[in-house]
Amino acid sequence: ADPLYLISVPIYLIALYITDSEAERYNRKQKEVNVTTQVSVSKVKQFLSHLLEQGKANKIANKRENPLEKKKHQHKLKIKGIQNKNLLKRNQNYFKKPAKKSITDKGDELFKMGNKILQESKSQKQKTEAYTFFTRAADMGNLKAMEKMADALLFGSFGMQNITAAIQLYESLAKEGSYKAQNALGFLSSYGIGMEYDQAKALIYYTFGSAGGSMMSQMILGYRYLSGINVLQNCEVALNHYKKVADYIADKLEKSEGIPVEKVRLTERPENLSSNSEILDWDIYQYYKFLAERGDVQIQVSLGQLHLIGRKGLDQDYSKALYYFLKAAKAGSANAMAFIGKMYLEGNAAAPQNNATAFKYFSMAASKGNAIGLHGLGLLYFHGKGVPVNYGEALKYFQKAAEKGWPNAQFHLGFMYYSGSGVWKDYKLAFKYFYLASQSGQPLAIYYLAEMYATGTGVLRSCRTAVELYKGVCELGHWAEKFLTAYFAYKDGDVDSSLIQYALLAEMGYEVAQSNSAFILESKKAKILGKEKMYPMALLLWNRAAIQGNAFARVKIGDYHYYGYGTKKDYETAATHYSIAADKHHSAQAMFNLAYMYEHGLGIAQDIHLARRLYDMAAQTSPDAHIPVFFALMKLETMHFLQDILFFNFTTKWKWLKLDSTIGPYWDLLVIGLIVVVLIFLLRNHHR
């Protein structure tokens, strides 16, 4: 049954009038009804048990493991708890009415155990172990575990993607008011993946999901109202949605420093993705380790930082981070000393929280004039950790670190002036320091700039600017980790899993995900969408990426209209998009394509002189364009010579000559071939 039929009146009649408050009342009512009940588990449990019995359910391969771990664990990881093929029979005693409370408690306990494992490490092995607990908890009817299992089936976390199964589970969960299920069903409806393509229904699902507390739904609605996607464009509504998500992210960032996840562009390296600098290659990592052991201090600090935050495909490993920092600090590295202080200030498994130790290392780094060390001392005095609160000292250290260009110090300096902590409130100075920090990507500085623009505090209020800034903060959410899992899935050849993850991120407004999704659709390697839908959907995604400033996407839109991919051939529209890419983004490819259209008068008036100029501009813009431009100009000049010299005064007699009909539609390529042959002949004679 469709969960939308839970509403007492025809849903499409109220779609235009539904409000967040109505959706909130609906979700509240559903939660009240289901306080003591679980999903009607009979069908869902049988369904889960059936899934777990299939194929290699007890030998599920780890396909999302990063390339560094793969070198260490070539054998496939087994999910240890899924070995009994008949889970329903095994647990049948739990489902007798007298034991209902016991089952619920056991399911909650299993879910908490799995969630704890999942949160403690980014290791794929531990994530796999976590899903063992989720499977058992879901089999007992635990709602949250079922959500995890549905996500695993949708995104292919088990290595066995099953969208049909995921939809059935989501629909059962949506009936119980699960906002995560509503968000997922909205996403699938918006793309027509496994469900009917229906933007109206998607919008309704997102509305209920956001009212229930889904940050993803809030972000999707924010992007839709910002861009006017199937709704009237409304900046203020977009601002409201984005602010809720940004507040949530900012709260997380204040507790621990968040680092953006690497976003690899598939369009930049379609043939050799392993060569990209976003992910550290295994051999390079081994070489760095060798240099670090040989005493290269800079490499030691770099490896320490990568392990501290878990970047470039490396797992977060506090022990390794501390190991490298200590080696570098022993060699006198001020940066390493400061990072050790940071580890002890924040506290972790390798360096338990200790304000005295943090103060010691920050002081050692600060004595060498290190900006991170100075900032660390400022934090200790600002928050009164291990020392009495002293805003004067904090201000002094923040200023010194800010002068050295450390963005975190610039942010804290701005915050002191913004909040009036130890100084008079000064919004102009606050804006100045927030802006400086934001230029280096400091997320909290971007958040407070958005706050100032949203409320008109210290600056002229600008809804659009505030929304763009809030959007940047929202894109730092934990969901951005899907960029890495999607990338590794693509590298491993699991195109469908990669596409579904990129497509969800694209729906949330990530420009990189939009272009990556379009790129995968264009390749026609995915199987989750019909081939007839791929070009139209790719065109839609290229268009969204182009609106957000992607020059490559803008050229692609021109190509789609030029060749008629996913739309009708339209030379005029193609020329318009090429012009935008050439003028606004200085794209060499767009200049070349536009020159060709001017040369042949396709969609625009023929203009040989402008064609020459655009060819020259393309060559000047990109070195890669030199050879294509050379042959294009040779062909242009040859044809121009034949037209102006050989056929001069004979134009009326030669009107019957139509090159397209006599030689073929690709006569220009034939001319280029002849030019190449002539050049080779002349070069050979020259050498003789």
Side-chain angles (χ1 to χ4, degrees):
D2 194 323
L4 291 176
Y5 292 135
L6 293 171
I7 305 169
S8 59
V9 295
I11 195 68
Y12 288 102
L13 294 178
I14 66 166
L16 296 176
Y17 304 101
I18 190 167
T19 64
D20 283 350
S21 60
E22 290 171 330
E24 285 170 5
R25 284 198 295 273
Y26 166 77
N27 279 280
R28 198 179 303 117
K29 182 179 178 182
Q30 286 298 321
K31 288 177 182 177
E32 289 171 358
V33 170
N34 294 292
V35 169
T36 58
T37 61
Q38 296 286 331
V39 173
S40 52
V41 293
S42 56
K43 290 185 179 179
V44 176
K45 284 178 54 54
Q46 291 172 11
F47 178 64
L48 276 174
S49 297
H50 175 68
L51 282 176
L52 296 172
E53 288 172 5
Q54 289 180 352
K56 300 178 181 178
N58 61 332
K59 297 180 181 179
I60 295 170
N62 167 22
K63 287 194 174 186
R64 294 288 76 74
E65 187 174 6
N66 72 53
L68 302 180
E69 285 295 321
K70 277 189 175 179
K71 296 288 183 177
K72 302 174 187 175
H73 305 283
Q74 291 294 329
H75 64 282
K76 295 182 179 179
L77 296 173
K78 293 183 179 180
I79 294 183
K80 295 178 179 177
I82 313 175
Q83 294 179 352
N84 190 329
K85 291 186 177 181
N86 197 343
L87 292 180
L88 183 59
K89 184 177 179 181
R90 185 187 69 195
N91 293 311
Q92 62 185 356
N93 292 330
Y94 285 107
F95 295 95
K96 294 178 180 178
K97 288 184 180 180
K100 186 173 182 180
K101 187 175 186 300
S102 175
I103 298 165
T104 303
D105 292 343
K106 183 66 175 176
D108 290 343
E109 184 182 340
L110 287 169
F111 173 77
K112 287 175 183 177
M113 290 171 67
N115 211 36
K116 185 178 179 183
I117 294 171
L118 197 64
Q119 290 176 347
E120 283 181 351
S121 176
K122 293 184 178 180
S123 165
Q124 187 60 34
K125 182 179 179 180
Q126 288 191 321
K127 286 184 178 181
T128 306
E129 291 172 358
Y131 275 100
T132 303
F133 290 99
F134 293 146
T135 304
R136 292 166 61 191
D139 193 55
M140 293 179 178
N142 184 278
L143 280 170
K144 292 182 179 179
M146 284 185 172
E147 289 174 343
K148 291 283 188 183
M149 291 302 299
D151 288 345
L153 291 167
L154 177 62
F155 299 117
S157 301
F158 276 116
M160 45 176 268
Q161 190 178 35
N162 190 327
I163 293 173
T164 303
I167 290 171
Q168 291 183 39
L169 199 47
Y170 280 133
E171 287 179 340
S172 296
L173 289 164
K175 289 179 182 178
E176 305 302 321
S178 166
Y179 62 79
K180 290 184 179 179
Q182 289 161 343
N183 180 76
L185 291 171
F187 158 64
L188 293 168
S189 297
S190 70
Y191 282 90
I193 298 174
M195 300 178 70
E196 182 185 358
Y197 177 81
D198 192 331
Q199 289 292 341
K201 188 180 283 190
L203 185 62
I204 294 166
Y205 276 126
Y206 289 143
T207 303
F208 282 117
S210 66
S214 170
M215 292 294 109
M216 286 188 176
S217 289
Q218 291 279 11
M219 198 166 161
I220 291 169
L221 287 175
Y223 178 64
R224 287 194 166 216
Y225 278 103
L226 174 65
S227 306
I229 299 172
N230 298 108
V231 292
L232 289 174
Q233 196 169 21
N234 191 321
C235 183
E236 295 298 334
V237 176
L239 178 68
N240 182 49
H241 286 294
Y242 272 124
K243 178 170 170 49
K244 289 177 182 177
V245 185
D247 289 344
Y248 168 80
I249 300 298
D251 182 60
K252 298 284 186 185
L253 292 172
E254 285 174 354
K255 294 173 183 175
S256 61
E257 186 178 349
I259 300 296
V261 176
E262 288 80 6
K263 303 179 181 70
V264 181
R265 286 188 183 274
L266 302 182
T267 54
E268 293 180 359
R269 302 172 183 89
E271 296 178 358
N272 188 15
L273 292 173
S274 62
S275 68
N276 74 81
S277 60
E278 298 289 343
I279 307 298
L280 194 61
D281 183 75
W282 169 256
D283 294 327
I284 295 175
Y285 172 66
Q286 292 300 316
Y287 178 61
Y288 283 166
K289 280 181 66 177
F290 170 74
L291 292 177
E293 294 300 329
R294 290 288 297 271
D296 189 315
V297 176
Q298 188 174 351
I299 294 295
Q300 288 168 350
V301 174
S302 296
L303 285 178
Q305 286 181 266
L306 292 176
H307 280 298
L308 178 62
I309 55 182
R311 292 195 69 183
K312 301 282 185 182
L314 292 175
D315 286 332
Q316 191 175 46
D317 191 323
Y318 293 122
S319 297
K320 286 182 180 178
L322 186 61
Y323 169 76
Y324 286 119
F325 286 145
L326 285 171
K327 285 179 75 73
K330 190 175 180 180
S333 168
N335 272 338
M337 295 171 190
F339 279 115
I340 294 171
K342 182 178 185 295
M343 290 184 73
Y344 278 104
L345 176 63
E346 295 175 354
N348 54 66
Q353 206 284 327
N354 190 311
N355 292 326
T357 306
F359 185 87
K360 169 189 168 184
Y361 280 102
F362 281 142
S363 297
M364 290 166 62
S367 66
K368 294 175 176 285
N370 181 268
I372 306 173
L374 291 165
H375 172 251
L377 289 176
L379 283 177
L380 292 174
Y381 281 109
F382 185 82
H383 295 290
K385 293 190 174 182
V387 293
V389 172
N390 190 326
Y391 290 129
E393 285 293 293
L395 184 68
K396 179 181 75 175
Y397 285 118
F398 286 151
Q399 284 177 330
K400 287 182 178 179
E403 287 169 3
K404 293 178 179 291
W406 186 238
N408 288 347
Q410 292 167 340
F411 160 70
H412 279 102
L413 203 55
F415 182 77
M416 290 185 76
Y417 285 110
Y418 181 81
S419 60
S421 303
V423 292
W424 291 105
K425 282 188 179 181
D426 190 328
Y427 293 127
K428 287 186 178 179
L429 278 176
F431 180 85
K432 170 190 171 183
Y433 287 113
F434 286 152
Y435 180 78
L436 286 171
S438 71
Q439 296 304 293
S440 301
Q442 215 287 345
L444 284 172
I446 297 171
Y447 171 77
Y448 278 100
L449 276 180
E451 290 280 277
M452 294 181 80
Y453 276 109
T455 57
T457 304
V459 291
L460 187 65
R461 187 181 187 276
S462 172
C463 177
R464 183 78 188 190
T465 304
V467 168
E468 293 292 349
L469 291 168
Y470 276 138
K471 183 175 183 288
V473 176
C474 294
E475 292 184 352
L476 300 178
H478 62 84
W479 39 78
E481 291 179 359
K482 289 193 183 297
F483 272 104
L484 282 181
T485 54
Y487 168 70
F488 289 133
Y490 185 81
K491 272 193 75 176
D492 293 342
D494 194 350
V495 178
D496 285 340
S497 175
S498 179
L499 175 59
I500 205 84
Q501 294 179 77
Y502 277 134
L504 175 59
L505 293 168
E507 185 78 349
M508 296 170 73
Y510 288 89
E511 178 271 309
V512 175
Q514 289 166 349
S515 59
N516 284 357
S517 300
F519 176 80
I520 293 173
L521 285 168
E522 187 180 90
S523 69
K524 291 192 174 181
K525 293 179 182 177
K527 298 175 183 176
I528 57 176
L529 272 179
K531 297 212 172 189
E532 72 283 355
K533 295 180 181 177
M534 290 190 182
Y535 273 134
M537 187 59 70
L539 178 58
L540 178 70
L541 289 164
W542 285 129
N543 190 59
R544 291 181 184 177
I547 291 170
Q548 296 198 72
N550 187 318
F552 183 84
R554 183 66 68 182
V555 175
K556 275 290 183 182
I557 298 170
D559 292 344
Y560 274 49
H561 283 96
Y562 183 90
Y563 294 107
Y565 295 154
T567 185
K568 292 181 180 179
K569 276 190 181 183
D570 188 337
Y571 290 140
E572 288 185 14
T573 304
T576 299
H577 287 289
Y578 290 146
S579 296
I580 293 171
D583 297 339
K584 189 174 179 181
H585 304 291
H586 307 290
S587 166
Q589 183 66 62
M591 293 172 188
F592 185 92
N593 293 355
L594 199 56
Y596 184 86
M597 297 186 79
Y598 271 113
E599 180 186 351
H600 297 279
L602 299 173
I604 44 182
Q606 189 175 36
D607 191 327
I608 299 299
H609 300 293
L610 189 52
R612 271 201 207 96
R613 182 183 171 191
L614 285 166
Y615 279 135
D616 289 335
M617 287 172 65
Q620 291 168 10
T621 303
S622 172
D624 295 337
H626 285 165
I627 294 176
V629 166
F630 171 76
F631 285 118
L633 285 173
M634 285 290 291
K635 188 257 296 182
L636 185 149
E637 297 300 342
T638 302
M639 296 307 298
H640 191 58
F641 175 78
L642 291 173
Q643 183 180 358
D644 290 352
I645 305 301
L646 296 181
F647 298 144
F648 187 69
N649 291 331
F650 297 97
T651 52
T652 54
K653 296 180 182 179
W654 292 87
K655 279 183 180 179
W656 56 271
L657 181 61
K658 299 288 184 183
L659 291 173
D660 282 353
S661 58
T662 55
I663 302 178
Y666 301 106
W667 60 269
D668 51 346
L669 297 178
L670 177 62
V671 172
I672 290 175
L674 291 172
I675 292 170
V676 172
V677 171
V678 172
L679 285 172
I680 293 171
F681 177 76
L682 292 174
L683 286 171
R684 282 186 176 179
N685 286 339
H686 176 71
H687 286 300
R688 288 177 183 175

